[in-house]
Amino acid sequence: MPIKTQSLDATSDGIAAAADILRAGGLVGFPTETVYGLGGDARNDTAVARIFEAKARPQFNPLIVHVPDLQTAQSYAAFNDQALALAAAFWPGPLTLVLPLNPDAGLSPLVTAGLDTVAIRVPAHPTARALLRAFGGPLAAPSANPSGRISPTRADHVHAGLSGRIEGVLDDGPCVVGVESTILGLDGAPTLLRPGGLPHEAIEAALGIPLSLGGDSNKPTAPGQLASHYAPNAGVRLAVTTPQHQEVWVGFGPDCQGAPLTLSPSGDLIEAAANLFHTLRLADALAAQTGQGGIAFAPIPETGLGRAINDRLRRAAAPRD
Ligand code: TXA
Ligand code: MG
């Protein structure tokens, strides 16, 4: 039986209704500064299991735990000096830290997929923060999209992917960052596990040491980072300066005159990240409408947020199972 998925406004009434759903073990799509998350009570095994089911996500894939502040985070994970320094510098914000799990903290073992570490983050979005306060507990929240598909940066993206499978969606407009949080492993030498909304250069500057960038996300340390992800229906080619006749070209910067879509006309990486997933959806719709063969992205520089953008585009372009 499909569930009726409520649309909730980001008013105090809407946020209170979302918190009630979460307390009853239900699931709510909610905005963060990066992408919309699919939230469920991280202490409730059934709620967490339903997140996997709603997304049709492989069970072995651990989830990020969202909390309102560092103090709450410290009840779930062990913070060393580097973790404390990064939390002081970048929380609330688009940085997830993977830290040793406090096994007595009461998180559902499904959240960590049985690992002895936990991925934890303090989001900056005011509605996410208000929801965490109203709910009063930790929220497990992967991106609110069917597994392997394009991440949601607007409430209607969440409805399009998960309507009938979750209790509600809290709508607070488009996400400003537009790509998921940067994930940093800190249970050993600081290791970039997923490039994301906080450029790794900023983390290196705060720590005063270079990060190990070798965290290959297809290895068990970050099992969610499968090669094919963010997949539109149309095929994707990257670093294309001369698109083929039948391709939908997505530009970046002023050299892409004539492209029907662009991530940023001026070549601004922040604007491009914020536009990325919505533009990927538009390009897919355009390709389907016009019967065009595929989507071709112009080259994006591999610096700052460009690293996260290229990571997502490579996964969108990867061979599918
Ligand atoms: O911006 C974001 O991070 C969004 C919003 C909603 O906060 N959330 C998000 O969650 O992207 P999700 O579940 O789609 O990504 C979680 C990633 C996965 O790649 C997973 O493998 C990794 O975090 N992860 C979670 N726990 C981990 C752990 N203990 N060790 C290594 N990687 C972990
Ligand atoms: Mg995701």
Side-chain angles (χ1 to χ4, degrees):
M1 268 292 280
I3 305 169
K4 163 125 181 63
T5 303
Q6 294 182 55
S7 286
L8 302 165
D9 297 333
T11 56
S12 50
D13 283 355
I15 290 167
D20 284 343
I21 292 171
L22 293 168
R23 272 190 288 272
L27 305 183
V28 177
F30 68 99
T32 81
E33 70 278 21
T34 57
V35 300
Y36 273 73
L38 176 58
D41 186 341
R43 302 160 300 191
N44 178 331
D45 293 325
T46 310
V48 178
R50 283 197 53 217
I51 294 177
F52 290 110
E53 189 195 50
K55 285 179 63 80
R57 186 182 216 191
Q59 289 290 94
F60 49 76
N61 196 346
L63 305 176
I64 296 174
V65 174
H66 296 64
V67 293
D69 51 43
L70 172 62
Q71 200 191 344
T72 311
Q74 285 178 296
S75 66
Y76 296 112
F79 280 66
N80 59 20
D81 288 346
Q82 286 174 324
L84 289 172
L86 292 174
F90 300 117
W91 278 358
L95 174 66
T96 295
L97 299 176
V98 174
L99 298 168
L101 170 71
N102 170 1
D104 304 322
L107 291 179
S108 164
L110 277 177
V111 170
T112 50
L115 299 173
D116 55 9
T117 52
V118 59
I120 199 152
R121 108 172 178 90
V122 176
H125 195 293
T127 298
R129 301 178 63 70
L131 180 64
L132 285 166
R133 280 193 302 270
F135 171 56
L139 281 183
S143 52
N145 55 294
S147 191
R149 311 305 295 198
I150 304 169
S151 296
T153 53
R154 301 174 183 218
D156 58 322
H157 299 164
V158 182
H159 282 289
L162 297 177
S163 212
R165 311 176 71 95
I166 64 178
E167 278 75 11
V169 180
L170 196 51
D171 184 351
D172 201 6
C175 301
V176 293
V177 175
V179 292
E180 294 87 344
S181 61
T182 300
I183 303 182
L184 188 72
L186 271 182
D187 55 328
T191 303
L192 185 72
L193 298 176
R194 176 177 75 183
L198 180 68
H200 79 274
E201 292 91 334
I203 300 173
E204 292 184 330
L207 289 178
I209 52 164
L211 295 183
S212 161
L213 304 180
D216 175 350
S217 301
N218 288 327
K219 300 268 161 56
T221 46
Q225 293 289 87
L226 303 173
S228 173
H229 206 101
Y230 310 100
N233 292 311
V236 176
R237 288 201 310 134
L238 305 181
V240 175
T241 49
T242 316
Q244 286 162 9
H245 178 62
Q246 76 283 10
E247 283 178 321
V248 176
W249 194 31
V250 182
F252 175 82
D255 296 339
C256 302
Q257 300 300 328
L261 295 169
T262 179
L263 289 177
S264 166
S266 66
D268 176 329
L269 287 168
I270 295 174
E271 180 181 35
N275 285 334
L276 177 66
F277 291 130
H278 191 61
T279 307
L280 199 46
R281 284 167 192 269
L282 291 177
D284 205 21
L286 202 57
Q289 235 171 53
T290 58
Q292 282 176 292
I295 305 169
F297 277 87
I300 314 285
E302 188 74 22
T303 54
L305 288 178
R307 198 180 186 88
I309 295 170
N310 283 318
D311 171 79
R312 305 305 186 268
L313 288 178
R314 278 192 291 272
R315 292 174 202 282
R320 324 265 165 87
D321 295 336

